[in-house]
Amino acid sequence: MRLDAPPLWLAGYPVNVTFESFDSYPAPRHQCRIEASAAAAAATPWNMTLLSTTIESVKGNLGATLLNVKSVFAVQPVKEMTGSSVHCEVIPSTGIRIKFQEPWLFQIPTVTDPCINSITFSSNANSNYLEAGQIEQVQVTSHRCETSGWPVSHSCWLTVGSDAELKLKKISQTGFSSVHQLKLTKSMTNSDWQVRCQVNQSMQHQYPDVYSRKSDQPKVFFRGRTNLEGFDVETNKLLSINISVSEAWPPISSIVCQLFYFTKGQLEEVRVSRYILYTLCECVCVSAYITSTSARL
């Protein structure tokens, strides 16, 4: 007979225990339960739920058909189970019970608190926009499980709209916290995007994926493309400049123009005499009075 149980027990997360018996006929029935330790003697024995039973036919040494039976039981750990024992019984069809108990195999380890996992960004979500092309740092932290003795590992991906996920580069991991690099892109300006991270505890437990919250994510802007036309500079003439801005995000609400010229090595500002703003700021016409042919834009 054999009993297999995982070494990591987390409070509130179901644990599966596998119990097997070999070379029986007819097929026996299995029964498992948890009996309290001396420290928790007042506790009522905890029941285990039978999830599945599989039966495999094998040939014995004399050619007879024998049966191997494998049963899987589940239990939801609580901290009071620490140090208690798993007891399993094989119940043959004859009704005679054979108790299978080897405490060194079945003693439950310390039931620890599970990790609470979170994602934060190095920038403040309420701060100004960050420009596409910048590198943002994503920090993943596993709380409350630091004293468990079971280290964690983090892996993260970026999802933008319906595009394929892009794995983020991990640049450091210290204890129960890790930092990953996120390059902000133009596609993140006006599309839904999210960071998804996986948390694995000592290759024994895979936590549900954790996702960044939209309210915590930095806002991303793209400068757009600016075209200037109308550099026709003549002394004592009006200078007309046409400015067009495309692909900017968020959409531009206003454009402020300044005109400068060099004199005696100093940069001087020329007052803009007229400012006309057209639809959606895609075109702006500015007129300024130039008093010197040495003016530069």
Side-chain angles (χ1 to χ4, degrees):
M1 290 174 283
R2 183 169 63 204
L3 178 63
D4 291 324
L8 175 61
W9 289 49
L10 299 173
Y13 280 87
V15 168
N16 289 349
V17 174
T18 301
F19 181 56
E20 297 178 88
S21 61
F22 306 97
D23 300 340
S24 301
Y25 194 88
R29 182 168 61 89
H30 295 163
Q31 181 174 296
C32 291
R33 69 181 185 277
I34 295 176
E35 292 187 355
S37 64
T44 302
W46 294 280
N47 293 324
M48 303 184 71
T49 303
L50 177 63
L51 296 181
S52 64
T53 297
T54 56
I55 301 175
E56 178 188 15
S57 297
V58 295
K59 290 293 184 181
N61 293 334
L62 301 178
T65 298
L66 300 176
L67 302 175
N68 295 339
V69 181
K70 178 179 179 179
S71 299
V72 179
F73 293 84
V75 64
Q76 186 154 306
V78 294
K79 286 191 171 184
E80 291 77 10
M81 289 181 182
T82 297
S84 299
S85 299
V86 175
H87 291 255
C88 291
E89 295 176 316
V90 174
I91 306 176
S93 58
T94 59
I96 300 174
R97 297 190 176 193
I98 303 173
K99 193 169 187 178
F100 177 61
Q101 179 182 359
E102 295 185 22
W104 62 274
L105 281 177
F106 310 135
Q107 187 170 11
I108 297 174
T110 300
V111 179
T112 63
D113 287 321
C115 297
I116 298 177
N117 306 299
S118 63
I119 298 175
T120 56
F121 297 88
S122 57
S123 64
N124 188 331
N126 296 321
S127 63
N128 294 331
Y129 281 83
L130 299 181
E131 186 174 1
Q134 286 185 259
I135 301 297
E136 174 74 331
Q137 290 189 347
V138 179
Q139 183 171 8
V140 186
T141 306
S142 297
H143 308 271
R144 207 176 72 167
C145 54
E146 296 90 342
T147 60
S148 67
W150 295 89
V152 299
S153 62
H154 301 147
S155 300
C156 294
W157 292 262
L158 168 67
T159 301
V160 181
S162 59
D163 295 344
E165 289 189 320
L166 175 66
K167 188 169 185 178
L168 304 186
K169 179 182 179 181
K170 184 192 296 185
I171 58 176
S172 69
Q173 174 142 0
T174 304
F176 290 78
S177 180
S178 63
V179 178
H180 308 253
Q181 280 188 341
L182 170 63
K183 184 175 182 179
L184 306 178
T185 64
K186 179 184 174 184
S187 60
M188 297 167 67
T189 56
N190 58 354
S191 298
D192 287 335
W193 64 274
Q194 200 169 38
V195 172
R196 176 180 69 88
C197 296
Q198 289 182 347
V199 180
N200 189 293
Q201 194 162 13
S202 299
M203 302 302 293
Q204 296 293 328
H205 181 77
Q206 180 76 46
Y207 286 91
D209 290 352
V210 57
Y211 294 86
S212 60
R213 296 185 302 178
K214 192 173 183 65
S215 59
D216 294 335
Q217 296 174 179
K219 306 176 187 69
V220 183
F221 80 91
F222 182 67
R223 289 181 180 271
R225 307 181 189 281
T226 303
N227 293 317
L228 302 179
E229 296 179 355
F231 293 96
D232 185 12
V233 180
E234 293 184 36
T235 303
N236 298 322
K237 297 290 185 179
L238 288 178
L239 170 64
S240 294
I241 306 173
N242 295 322
I243 305 175
S244 62
V245 181
S246 59
E247 301 182 28
W249 187 268
I252 294 176
S253 59
S254 65
I255 297 178
V256 176
C257 295
Q258 291 176 294
L259 191 63
F260 296 88
Y261 70 95
F262 287 95
T263 175
K264 297 181 180 180
Q266 299 295 321
L267 190 63
E268 303 290 344
E269 182 177 357
V270 177
R271 184 175 61 86
V272 175
S273 61
R274 190 170 60 187
Y275 181 95
I276 303 175
L277 181 63
Y278 288 94
T279 306
L280 295 179
C281 299
E282 292 181 355
C283 181
V284 173
C285 179
V286 178
S287 295
Y289 193 72
I290 304 300
T291 58
S292 172
T293 55
S294 63
R296 298 182 184 180
L297 296 177

